[in-house]
């Protein structure tokens, strides 16, 4: 289970006195508990791996947004801290599909579905996203499809 793996790594980080890793993993565990409570379950229960993965993706996206904000606000030290936290969170997420991999699947789906213009882009996007279940960022898929169709 992913939650057990994170707990184990948090304990190891505590022993190694790796403060950033401890704080990041502790935050993830807290987010898991919040998710359980939000779903009306007991905080002592465990999330499934899929639920935990969704929470970790959300945490990663929050870090990405924070990095953008801190960079725009001319606070590079805070942006760097968020980037380091994102690296720790990303260790637990599956490897994301490359742009080339997405493009290959998109071309195959375009031919399969007979989509050649922007009118069918919604269905095409759904089909490509379903193919990558959690391994592709929606904005990257959208960029790839827009590049292929226009």
């Amino acid at each position: 289970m992913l939650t057990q793996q994170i707990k184990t790594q948090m304990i190891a980080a505590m022993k190694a006195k790796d403060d950033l890793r401890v704080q990041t993993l502790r935050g993830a565990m807290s987010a898991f508990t919040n998710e359980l409570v939000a779903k009306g379950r007991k905080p002592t229960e465990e999330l499934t791996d899929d639920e935990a993965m969704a929470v970790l993706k959300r945490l990663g996206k929050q870090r990405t947004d924070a990095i953008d904000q801190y960079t725009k606000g001319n606070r590079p030290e805070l942006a760097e801290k968020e980037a380091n936290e994102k690296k720790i969170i990303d260790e637990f997420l599956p490897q994301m599909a490359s742009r080339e991999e997405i493009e290959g699947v998109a071309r195959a789906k375009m031919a399969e579905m007979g989509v050649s213009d922007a009118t069918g882009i919604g269905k095409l996007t759904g089909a490509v996203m379903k193919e990558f279940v959690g391994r592709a960022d929606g904005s990257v898929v959208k960029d790839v499809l827009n590049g292929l169709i226009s």
Side-chain angles (χ1 to χ4, degrees), residues 62 89 109:
Q62 288 171 354
I89 291 168
K109 289 288 180 188

Side-chain angles (χ1 to χ4, degrees), residues 1-79:
M1 294 289 280
L2 191 56
T3 52
Q4 289 300 321
Q5 183 183 356
I6 289 176
K7 273 183 192 172
T8 304
Q9 290 217 8
M10 186 173 71
I11 292 168
M14 285 177 181
K15 289 178 181 174
K17 297 193 185 322
D18 184 350
D19 192 46
L20 179 68
R21 191 171 187 82
V22 170
Q23 295 304 320
T24 304
L25 296 178
R26 190 175 279 153
M29 293 304 297
S30 175
F32 292 162
T33 302
N34 292 342
E35 184 76 7
L36 284 167
V37 171
K39 291 184 181 243
R41 292 162 49 192
K42 294 179 184 171
T44 53
E45 291 181 36
E46 264 190 32
L47 291 174
T48 65
D49 280 352
D50 289 340
E51 292 170 328
M53 200 68 67
V55 172
L56 289 174
K57 284 181 186 173
R58 189 169 45 232
L59 291 174
K61 184 162 177 21
Q62 288 171 354
R63 296 304 183 284
T64 303
D65 293 344
I67 292 166
D68 291 343
Q69 292 298 317
Y70 287 139
T71 304
K72 288 177 186 172
N74 200 24
R75 297 294 307 268
E77 70 284 356
L78 294 174

Side-chain angles (χ1 to χ4, degrees), residues 50-118:
D50 289 340
E51 292 170 328
M53 200 68 67
V55 172
L56 289 174
K57 284 181 186 173
R58 189 169 45 232
L59 291 174
K61 184 162 177 21
Q62 288 171 354
R63 296 304 183 284
T64 303
D65 293 344
I67 292 166
D68 291 343
Q69 292 298 317
Y70 287 139
T71 304
K72 288 177 186 172
N74 200 24
R75 297 294 307 268
E77 70 284 356
L78 294 174
E80 183 182 349
K81 179 182 181 287
E82 294 289 335
N84 290 334
E85 288 181 6
K86 183 167 177 15
K87 285 179 193 170
I88 293 169
I89 291 168
D90 286 346
E91 290 175 20
F92 299 97
L93 295 173
Q95 188 65 38
M96 295 303 270
S98 68
R99 195 172 186 88
E100 293 76 29
E101 195 177 347
I102 293 170
E103 190 173 326
V105 170
R107 287 183 191 280
K109 289 288 180 188
M110 281 175 72
E112 180 183 314
M113 297 170 72
V115 175
S116 59
D117 58 9

Side-chain angles (χ1 to χ4, degrees), residues 133-149:
V133 184
R135 288 188 40 241
D137 184 7
S139 61
V140 175
V141 170
K142 183 179 174 190
D143 287 346
V144 167
L145 292 178
N146 285 334
L148 289 176
I149 289 181

